[in-house]
DNA sequence: TATGCGATATTCT
DNA sequence: GAATATCGCATAG
């Protein structure tokens, strides 16, 4: 970054993208339908650093009964939030380095969700750059671990209601989404072959190898 | 551009 | 003790 354009504290509220919070009733109940529905919607983080947000451009569904899903072997302390009513955050830590942010799906008690894999940064881009230590905008939240890092999402966000005012919430699409494509999921060893990954075709903020972005 | 590898810590077996 | 819904760097083509 050659120069700083503004800091969050300086930024007037009227330069932020106008966003409307999603109502839970708008969220599809079924996991794959929700995963597709979330493409183009916005994840918003209200933090001491100011607001950061991004368009969701890549998701993966982990439906009921999916052997790759964390609820497959029943409830544990880690996956507890996954059983909440749809529209809650399920955040967990993996690989000793990355947090993953999911949106719960289905009815309360079922145990299923949608992994948020990538965002196209919208507001608070300078804060995201500071958090990530890089300046290329399309790489800030390209991949689930990077997404969480860019948005300062950690285990404290686990269980948050994303349909309520708070530190983390979901907003309606600020503009129409581009064509939505689907593919197999990334980084799993079971149920490979299921086409439960959704993404906005051609968006440079989508993760994965080229063949899974076209 | 693609593939491979190590780092890392939490959870579950 | 094993596995892991990843990342970033290294190396080869």
């Amino acid at each position: 970054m050659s120069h700083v354009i503004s800091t969050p504290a300086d930024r007037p509220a009227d330069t932020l993208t106008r966003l409307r919070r999603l109502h839970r009733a708008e969220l599809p109940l079924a996991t794959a339908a929700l995963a597709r529905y979330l493409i183009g919607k916005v994840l918003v983080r209200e933090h001491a650093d100011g607001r950061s947000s991004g368009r969701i451009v890549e998701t993966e569904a982990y439906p009921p009964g999916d052997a790759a899903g964390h609820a497959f072997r029943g409830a544990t302390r880690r996956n507890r939030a996954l059983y909440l009513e749809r529209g809650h955050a399920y955040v967990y830590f993996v690989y000793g380095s990355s947090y993953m942010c999911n949106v719960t799906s289905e009815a309360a008690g079922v145990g299923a969700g949608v992994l948020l894999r990538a965002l196209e940064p919208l507001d608070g881009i300078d804060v995201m750059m500071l958090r990530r230590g890089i300046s290329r905008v399309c790489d800030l939240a390209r991949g689930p671990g990077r997404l969480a890092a860019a948005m300062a999402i950690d285990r404290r966000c686990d269980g948050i209601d994303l349909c309520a005012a708070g530190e983390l919430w979901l907003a309606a699409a600020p503009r129409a989404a581009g064509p939505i494509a689907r593919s197999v999921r990334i980084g799993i060893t079971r149920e490979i072959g299921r086409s439960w990954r959704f993404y906005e075709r051609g968006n440079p903020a989508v993760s994965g190898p080229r063949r899974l972005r076209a």
Side-chain angles (χ1 to χ4, degrees):
Chain A
M1 178 163 63
S2 58
H3 62 282
V4 175
I5 296 168
S6 70
T7 66
D10 296 336
R11 189 192 300 277
D14 61 7
T15 67
L16 293 175
T17 308
R18 251 173 96 97
L19 296 170
R20 176 184 69 81
R21 188 166 28 257
L22 290 180
H23 191 266
R24 198 182 319 282
E26 297 177 80
L27 304 182
L29 190 60
T31 307
L34 177 63
R36 189 179 195 290
Y37 171 85
L38 287 174
I39 300 297
K41 306 302 185 294
V42 177
L43 182 67
V44 187
R45 178 74 166 122
E46 313 282 10
H47 196 260
D49 298 339
R51 170 180 295 184
S52 36
S53 66
R55 293 180 66 242
I56 297 167
V57 295
E58 183 185 355
T59 62
E60 279 177 359
Y62 290 87
D66 172 17
H70 283 189
F72 188 64
R73 287 181 177 75
T76 63
R77 191 164 69 180
R78 176 174 70 159
N79 67 22
R80 203 173 128 80
L82 204 48
Y83 291 81
L84 294 170
E85 186 180 16
R86 72 189 189 280
H88 286 76
Y90 164 49
V91 178
Y92 67 91
F93 187 71
V94 273
Y95 296 120
S97 57
S98 305
Y99 288 96
M100 306 279 117
C101 181
N102 300 254
V103 179
T104 62
S105 57
E106 309 290 337
V110 173
V114 174
L115 172 66
L116 302 182
R117 288 194 56 93
L119 300 180
E120 174 191 308
L122 212 53
D123 291 314
I125 290 175
D126 43 2
V127 191
M128 294 195 212
M129 288 176 177
L130 288 172
R131 289 174 182 149
R132 293 266 296 113
I134 62 168
S135 58
R136 208 175 148 193
V137 174
C138 69
D139 287 340
L140 287 173
R142 180 167 182 248
R146 295 163 174 175
L147 181 158
M151 300 285 276
I153 290 171
D154 60 25
R155 74 188 75 239
R156 290 181 304 231
C157 297
D158 191 39
I160 287 179
D161 182 358
L162 300 172
C163 299
E167 297 188 352
L168 193 62
W169 51 279
L170 286 168
R175 65 170 194 265
I180 298 173
R182 60 190 297 170
S183 79
V184 293
R185 295 174 293 181
I186 294 175
I188 54 169
T189 57
R190 282 173 289 215
E191 307 262 15
I192 54 180
R194 301 282 201 179
S195 286
W196 283 335
R197 172 175 173 268
F198 298 84
Y199 59 98
E200 188 175 51
R201 190 186 293 278
N203 191 304
V206 171
S207 76
R210 182 172 284 282
R211 70 177 190 284
L212 294 183
R213 285 185 275 141

